Amino acid sequence: MEPRRIVLAVVLMAAVLLVTPYLFPTPTPVPGARKATADSAQTVSDSSAPSVSGAVAGDAMGAPAVPAEPAVVLPVDTSVVNTAVADYRTTSKGAALIGASLTQFQALSNGGRTRSGTVELALPNERMLGYRLVVPGDTIDLTTQTFRSTQSADGNSTVITYDADLAGRLVSIRYSFLPDSYRVNVAAAVAGVPENSYLLVDLPTGFRSSESDTTEDHSHLAYAYKPELAGAQGIAFRSVDPGEREIEAGPISWGVAKNKYFIVGVLAPKGGTPFAEINVTGGPRINDEAVRGQATLVTPLKAGNAAFEVYVGPQEFKRLVALGREFETSNPYGGWIQGIVQPFATIVIRLLLWMKSTLGLSYGWILVIFGVAIRIILWPLNQKAMRSSMQMQRIQPELQAIQTRYKNEPQKLQQAMMELYKEHGMSPFSSLSGCLPMLIPLPVFFALFFVFQNTIEFRGVPFLWFPDISVKDPYYIIPVLVAATTMLMSWIGMRGTKSNEQQKMMMYLMPGIMLVFFFSMASGLNLYYFIQNLASLPQQWLIAQERSKPLVKG
């Protein structure tokens, strides 16, 4: 009988499976609806592609499902904050800063002769600052999320606050725009995250050029950062290959992205939590130009909170100094000789700014006065060195005679040379002292070379026939004058001496070298060097006249 029971059980099971759908039909689903679970997260998307929330399933008694209320789809909006110095734009998509128009600065073109519109830093359709949230086991890209935005006032500051519920966590990004300043205070708060969570702050991937020479402007694209226990470090876009990554562990005081004259900096609060890390990745090349990069600052969330300051504006020395934290070094000068050039550059720019505020003259005249002042300060040292060099030239025949006479007797040669030096009131080191005046102005010249590359105070400043002293002379007059005065100095320097073929060759070669070197340099730097040459001519002439007089032994 056992086989019959098995057959009967199978028949009854089949009957139940076939008859049940007729007795208890399944409710017709709502079109486009999907079943929701208790732990499912709400998805917020762009209004251009709205999502549809799931319908609520029937209860345990088999009641038909009732469509749920549709989820609120937040529109993407842009907020504009106008301050006395800039117009900022933020968006609810990612709570990101997407634009900054610096109303105090004009976009330049045509060699600095044409000004059209204000300087806009943001690249088209790209963010200037973006955020990502890192929690244990997950990274949430906030740039894909849409936030609710509210605007309020805090004293004289305009405040934009963005809030969103993401995966059960309330995320808030708050911008406070300070009046009469390029500084923005940013605060982030994330509810319910463990201590080992981080906020990633993505710096700009590049800048829109507002300069007349865009290629030269692009060559200054770089990131920089300041470790708390070391000096500032720069990473040029062109120095990192596409996809190559450089990581610097903290503590880090600030990180910046910059072009020739403008900068976007993110600074840890004074006395607050520093950044834990910065990583830089090389971007793709466009027509062999490195105009894209990627850099991210990592800040730890303390009790779910993080705060930092953002500077979006010009590389004006006084403003950068006022921010503290050695932010004026956010444009490291000098490359591998930074340790030598940076201090001189700081001294030079301070002197020029002081002269500008004291005298109230154009920077063109400031450079003229500065060049003359340097020559006057160095006049006594130059005078002594030139006379020492002149004496060395006069005793050369006697030195050669002694060297010939005692060429096989080193001890007597040394004794005879010392007596000759003593007779003329000189020392064996007199020849070296003649080179010193040539070396002293070099740090100043190198400092000015780098200062002119990034000092926004010189940007767009006209002088004489120069439309802009920060770019090359459009008529190439000043490089020719530099070369001509260099030749004149060489010619005067050879008067009263017995010149040889090598000296004559150098008299023609040096001006050619100077012409090539200064041909594309900033006209202000050319002007400074030309004034230096002019100011040295009287001293060169006086020494030449003195050289022509007969030697009187004392």
Side-chain angles (χ1 to χ4, degrees):
M1 295 298 294
E2 189 67 26
R4 292 181 180 180
R5 291 179 180 178
I6 295 174
V7 172
L8 181 60
V10 171
V11 171
L12 290 175
M13 290 175 60
V16 170
L17 292 174
L18 292 173
V19 174
T20 298
Y22 293 99
L23 297 177
F24 306 100
T26 302
T28 304
V30 178
R34 50 187 171 87
K35 186 177 179 180
T37 59
D39 60 351
S40 63
Q42 180 183 6
T43 301
V44 183
S45 61
D46 194 314
S47 58
S48 61
S51 62
V52 181
S53 64
V56 180
D59 60 22
M61 299 301 293
V66 179
E69 291 294 326
V72 176
V73 178
L74 298 176
V76 175
D77 60 70
T78 299
S79 298
V80 180
V81 177
N82 306 115
T83 70
V85 294
D87 298 335
Y88 300 98
R89 300 187 305 280
T90 59
T91 178
S92 59
K93 188 65 173 290
L97 177 67
I98 59 172
S101 178
L102 309 184
T103 55
Q104 303 295 309
F105 296 91
Q106 293 290 311
L108 303 178
S109 60
N110 193 23
R113 289 185 286 265
T114 305
R115 289 161 170 77
S116 57
T118 58
V119 168
E120 171 60 51
L121 297 184
L123 289 167
N125 303 316
E126 291 196 25
R127 295 179 302 275
M128 298 188 71
L129 290 180
Y131 309 102
R132 287 172 287 159
L133 177 63
V134 176
V135 295
D138 193 15
T139 299
I140 303 171
D141 187 358
L142 300 185
T143 62
T144 64
Q145 311 297 328
T146 304
F147 288 67
R148 299 179 297 275
S149 64
T150 57
Q151 183 169 332
S152 59
D154 184 3
N156 293 326
S157 300
T158 301
V159 178
I160 304 290
T161 304
Y162 291 103
D163 298 296
D165 297 305
L166 305 177
R169 299 184 179 93
L170 176 63
V171 179
S172 177
I173 305 289
R174 183 177 186 268
Y175 293 92
S176 180
F177 297 89
L178 279 65
D180 300 321
S181 174
Y182 295 99
R183 187 161 61 90
V184 183
N185 291 331
V186 182
V190 185
V193 293
E195 284 300 312
N196 55 338
S197 299
Y198 300 88
L199 181 70
L200 308 185
V201 183
D202 294 323
L203 296 175
T205 59
F207 290 93
R208 184 183 305 187
S209 179
S210 299
E211 309 308 316
S212 54
D213 188 343
T214 56
T215 300
E216 200 262 346
D217 187 32
H218 289 158
S219 69
H220 290 83
L221 288 170
Y223 295 111
Y225 60 93
K226 170 67 172 63
E228 282 196 341
L229 304 178
Q233 301 293 322
I235 303 176
F237 280 24
R238 63 179 180 273
S239 69
V240 186
D241 293 331
E244 181 185 357
R245 193 177 186 188
E246 295 187 13
I247 300 175
E248 180 68 26
I252 292 172
S253 301
W254 46 256
V256 305
K258 64 187 185 69
N259 61 4
K260 185 174 183 179
Y261 292 119
F262 302 98
I263 192 168
V264 175
V266 180
L267 303 90
K270 294 179 180 178
T273 303
F275 296 104
E277 178 184 294
I278 184 172
N279 60 76
V280 177
T281 305
R285 299 292 194 260
I286 300 176
N287 296 328
D288 294 329
E289 280 191 298
V291 295
R292 291 289 187 278
Q294 183 180 342
T296 300
L297 284 163
V298 180
T299 182
L301 290 169
K302 299 294 184 180
N305 295 285
F308 48 88
E309 299 169 28
V310 176
Y311 178 86
V312 183
Q315 297 179 42
E316 289 180 345
F317 185 78
K318 289 182 178 179
R319 288 186 184 275
L320 303 186
V321 170
L323 286 170
R325 289 154 287 190
E326 299 182 46
F327 197 56
E328 70 275 11
T329 64
S330 55
N331 183 30
Y333 289 117
W336 61 275
I337 55 172
Q338 177 185 342
I340 300 173
V341 173
Q342 187 84 40
F344 277 98
T346 301
I347 293 171
V348 166
I349 192 61
R350 285 184 183 275
L351 278 172
L352 294 176
L353 292 174
W354 174 81
M355 291 173 67
K356 172 68 175 176
S357 62
T358 302
L359 302 176
L361 298 174
S362 164
Y363 272 113
W365 289 114
I366 294 297
L367 289 171
V368 170
I369 296 171
F370 184 69
V372 174
I374 292 294
R375 277 298 170 187
I376 291 175
I377 293 170
L378 293 177
W379 184 286
L381 189 58
N382 279 326
Q383 192 80 352
K384 183 177 179 180
M386 288 179 178
R387 283 177 176 161
S388 177
S389 177
M390 181 176 62
Q391 287 178 308
M392 287 296 298
Q393 290 175 358
R394 283 177 168 174
I395 68 172
Q396 277 302 311
E398 295 180 65
L399 279 175
Q400 290 174 359
I402 290 173
Q403 289 169 352
T404 302
R405 187 184 311 159
Y406 299 110
K407 63 180 179 180
N408 296 322
E409 300 176 83
Q411 189 172 357
K412 290 184 177 181
L413 173 62
Q414 184 178 5
Q415 184 179 354
M417 290 178 66
M418 291 300 295
E419 290 176 356
L420 179 64
Y421 285 133
K422 186 177 181 180
E423 181 183 352
H424 291 277
M426 301 173 64
S427 75
F429 302 104
S430 296
S431 58
L432 296 177
S433 65
C435 300
L436 190 60
M438 297 176 62
L439 297 177
I440 288 179
L442 282 181
V444 177
F445 173 76
F446 283 133
L448 278 173
F449 173 79
F450 288 105
V451 163
F452 265 97
Q453 289 191 10
N454 296 86
T455 301
I456 196 169
E457 286 80 0
F458 298 151
R459 179 184 185 268
V461 175
F463 182 69
L464 299 178
W465 66 89
F466 311 136
D468 185 346
I469 64 172
S470 69
V471 300
K472 64 183 179 181
D473 181 353
Y475 308 111
Y476 302 103
I477 296 173
I478 196 71
V480 173
L481 291 177
V482 169
T485 50
T486 301
M487 177 176 283
L488 183 58
M489 288 173 59
S490 299
W491 178 76
I492 294 174
M494 290 174 60
R495 286 178 58 85
T497 64
K498 187 178 180 181
S499 61
N500 52 41
E501 292 300 321
Q502 185 178 6
Q503 288 176 314
K504 290 180 179 179
M505 182 183 69
M506 289 301 297
M507 185 179 72
Y508 295 103
L509 183 61
M510 277 303 296
I513 293 174
M514 300 302 286
L515 180 62
V516 172
F517 182 77
F518 283 99
F519 196 72
S520 297
M521 291 292 179
S523 53
L525 186 62
N526 270 280
L527 175 66
Y528 167 79
Y529 204 84
F530 169 65
I531 294 300
Q532 283 270 296
N533 285 354
L534 277 183
S536 66
L537 288 177
Q539 191 173 32
Q540 288 272 10
W541 181 262
L542 290 174
I543 291 295
Q545 294 296 99
E546 190 175 328
R547 191 186 298 119
S548 300
K549 297 177 182 179
L551 177 63
V552 179
K553 295 183 180 181

